[in-house]
Amino acid sequence: MSEYPVFSVTVDLVMLTVRSDRLHVLLVRRGVAPYLDGWALPGGFVRPDEDLDGAAARELREETGLTAPLGHLEQLASYGAPDRDPRGRVVTVAYLALLPDQPVPVAGGDAASAAWLALPAPELAFDHGRILADGVERARAKLEYTPLATAFCPAEFTVTELREVYQTVWDAHLDPRNFHRKVTTTPGFVEPVGRSVTADRGRPAQLFRRGSAQLLHPPMLRPA
Amino acid sequence: MSEYPVFSVTVDLVMLTVRSDRLHVLLVRRGVAPYLDGWALPGGFVRPDEDLDGAAARELREETGLTAPLGHLEQLASYGAPDRDPRGRVVTVAYLALLPDQPVPVAGGDAASAAWLALPAPELAFDHGRILADGVERARAKLEYTPLATAFCPAEFTVTELREVYQTVWDAHLDPRNFHRKVTTTPGFVEPVGRSVTADRGRPAQLFRRGSAQLLHPPMLRPA
DNA sequence: GTAATAGTGTCTATGAGACACTATTGG
DNA sequence: CCAATAGTGTCTCATAGACACTATTAC
């Protein structure tokens, strides 16, 4: 064991949300070298007694204050090129979080400041640009065959809100009528709450919450 | 950096192949403690100057002798529970390899012996049982929306061989006529070589090679 | 009433699933 | 000719995509 190199292991988070019809990512301004004052994904070292998933959940909590009954957190991929961190051999396990718009970033730790930035994001520190791109692509793909678009919504939401999530993430227009039919007839996608909300004007919209399905059968297909 | 724990980083490989209508995985018998003489996934430590992908490709080469123009290798996931290795804090980055039947395992390194075992596999060392299960599930899912079933086949193959791959990995029966239509009409899935091969008896079958598509549009759906 | 938003019904085209026969080889 | 395997054609059903009107609210 001692003949092999010593690594540090970090978790980095690609936290995405939909705000004002734009996809946003939570970024921090680095307060320490390297890349001092540069934008980076939030993250940090895995602690001695932590699982990887636990470290990611902790970072998510620290950045948002969310104790995470809402939203979605999953492992994305690991990155470990020998030169990816000038300080030494660091492998990072990236996680992808999909969150409703509510959370306000909380500065702390190495982060001089944190902010939700609309995509496309500025140049990022380390290989975080690549990690972010991988996360966005994963999110786009997963909206097709899972109900995870609901992770971008509050606990109760309207069909229109859900459609706006799809349109934003995919950067595409979806027919409101076909979308309504698809969402309400795919088993386990959403279930009606029974109440309605009215926007400023117009007919009140029914509220739904996420259903029990883990996978969409058949999937929601991206427009060609 | 020094205030945080020191990790070792390994890569472990879930190498799958289809042989005699059964899914097989390459396993090694451990020659050292812990889990001495137990079955485990092949793998090893990442070297000082190696990328993670490079370490996985090297392990694949060492186990099979394959210089890998054929088959498919991709990162699966990382596993880092604090107690997953009794020797210390070890994070492993698991890779998934899909390979044609040809390769014969080569014993070496920590492995007292290596063998292709039909699934379901025996109990494995560490958390390798879980990693294997995740790898098989990933393979099953990827056959739906990618042309990766071809990675289990030699460079040139018949439609029947490809169908047997699907049937084995999915443990399901597929209608030969509908399958033939689906494979030959999905753009970029396969392309005809122009030659035929004849089995012992029967009409000769056309040979195909993998096409240029990265994704199947529309996907090949698993039977309900 | 008017503007604004929610929600529904129909027609068509495409693809999946079920199914039976013809084609080409070795023996 | 027979056995074995490859390959094709048709019908039906489910679902996606295009598209226009009705319903309910605030003002």
Side-chain angles (χ1 to χ4, degrees), chain B residues 11 22 28 31 41 52 60 69-70 84 87-88 96 109 111 118 124 146 156 160 164 167 182 184 188 211 222 224:
Chain B
V11 295
R22 296 287 297 275
V28 298
L41 297 174
L52 300 176
L60 178 62
L70 236 46
R84 65 175 295 277
R87 293 167 298 181
L96 174 65
L124 300 186
T146 70
E156 301 185 343
T160 298
E164 284 166 351
Q167 294 186 149
K182 175 68 184 174
T184 52
R222 257 185 278 197

Side-chain angles (χ1 to χ4, degrees), chain B residues 15 57-72 98-100 102-104 106 116:
Chain B
M15 296 166 53
R58 173 178 54 77
E59 290 288 345
L60 178 62
R61 230 178 16 248
E62 288 175 2
E63 294 294 338
T64 64
L66 262 188
T67 173
L70 236 46
H72 171 76
L98 311 182
L99 301 169
Q102 277 92 306
V104 179
V106 179
W116 290 102

